[in-house]
Amino acid sequence: MKTEISLRDYLATRRSIPAFQMGEPGPDRATVEAMLTLASRVPDHGKLTPWRFIVYRGEERARISAALAKMALEAKPDLSEEMIKVENTRLTRAPVVVAVVSKAAPHVKVPEWEQLMSAGAVCLNLVMAANAHGFSSNWLTEWYAFDERAHPLLGIEPGEKVAGFIHIGTAQVPPTERPRPALSDIVTWVGDV
Ligand SMILES: Cc1cc2nc3c(=O)[nH]c(=O)nc-3n(C[C@H](O)[C@H](O)[C@H](O)COP(=O)(O)O)c2cc1C
């Protein structure tokens, strides 16, 4: 059920739901498009749009997950039964998984670091856009984000980096809170305020 809360209350209570605690229903194509439109509305120095999306849905998720499991087994033939199961369900835990792909590249004015951060902003925006549409979300990377041998399987082009695989679905259990940092540990005040 979608409930309207203030932006402040949303930010004060926002939580991810682990992908393994997600299930159906997921968003339909039009809703995913609405989410991606919101997600792309991020600060982007130089208006370079140094990121793009790949949306994994339906049966393709199982096919890619099986291929990822095969790759994982080739790399580690002694993989436990439990881990084989995990690898086989990498993209099938949530009904929709969106790769946020960074296309950051050298630029005369905008450092690559800033382009990468813009992709991170897209990830969090998509996490929140999913929530805004009444769905749960989880920002994951995992080994196949970094192992370039897995990239062709996932549709990631040479030179691109994965900022995150955003899992989107419906929570099967209520969210639990997790500890947050104390401001005194992370804030330095400079000057009077
Ligand atoms: C860039 C990035 C990559 C992440 N990758 C993973 C991952 O691969 N596996 C994992 O269990 N959590 C990963 N996380 C953490 C999850 O998103 C986690 O569920 C989240 O931090 C929970 O915090 P929240 O409730 O404040 O959203 C990652 C987080 C970020 C920012």
Side-chain angles (χ1 to χ4, degrees), residues 141-162:
T141 42
E142 304 294 351
W143 66 267
Y144 40 92
F146 303 102
D147 188 333
E148 289 181 2
R149 288 170 302 175
H151 285 185
L153 187 61
L154 293 154
I156 297 151
E157 302 288 337
E160 293 183 330
K161 285 192 171 67
V162 176

Side-chain angles (χ1 to χ4, degrees):
M1 192 183 62
K2 204 165 121 181
T3 29
E4 301 289 335
I5 60 170
S6 73
L7 179 57
R8 187 190 170 283
D9 286 350
Y10 167 74
L11 291 173
T13 54
R14 186 205 59 78
R15 265 249 57 190
S16 299
I17 293 286
F20 65 83
Q21 292 176 342
M22 271 183 211
E24 300 285 349
D28 59 16
R29 185 179 172 128
T31 308
V32 173
E33 282 177 348
M35 291 176 188
L36 299 181
T37 302
L38 296 179
S40 8
R41 202 177 168 91
V42 288
D44 167 16
H45 192 177
K47 296 189 278 294
L48 302 177
T49 320
W51 27 258
R52 68 183 183 97
F53 300 108
I54 305 171
V55 184
Y56 310 98
R57 298 187 303 160
E59 291 302 312
E60 275 301 286
R61 293 171 307 139
R63 185 190 66 77
I64 297 168
S65 301
L68 288 174
K70 193 163 168 276
M71 283 188 70
L73 256 176
E74 277 162 12
K76 270 195 198 163
D78 60 343
L79 216 56
S80 68
E81 282 301 314
E82 196 190 338
M83 276 313 293
I84 294 172
K85 206 170 152 198
V86 167
E87 299 297 354
N88 261 305
T89 56
R90 283 293 188 190
L91 296 191
T92 55
R93 287 169 217 155
V96 173
V97 179
V98 179
V100 177
V101 178
S102 165
K103 303 194 294 173
H107 184 270
V108 282
K109 188 167 156 236
V110 184
E112 275 186 71
W113 167 238
E114 293 186 0
Q115 298 176 47
L116 283 165
M117 286 196 290
S118 181
V122 172
C123 288
L124 183 57
N125 239 19
L126 180 53
V127 160
M128 297 196 292
N131 296 162
H133 282 271
F135 292 94
S136 296
S137 49
N138 193 195
W139 177 355
L140 302 178
T141 42
E142 304 294 351
W143 66 267
Y144 40 92
F146 303 102
D147 188 333
E148 289 181 2
R149 288 170 302 175
H151 285 185
L153 187 61
L154 293 154
I156 297 151
E157 302 288 337
E160 293 183 330
K161 285 192 171 67
V162 176
F165 292 105
I166 312 302
H167 291 58
I168 301 170
T170 300
Q172 304 298 300
V173 293
T176 52
E177 189 45 302
R178 70 175 176 89
R180 303 289 167 173
L183 275 194
S184 55
D185 291 337
I186 55 171
V187 180
T188 304
W189 296 97
V190 178
D192 291 331
V193 286

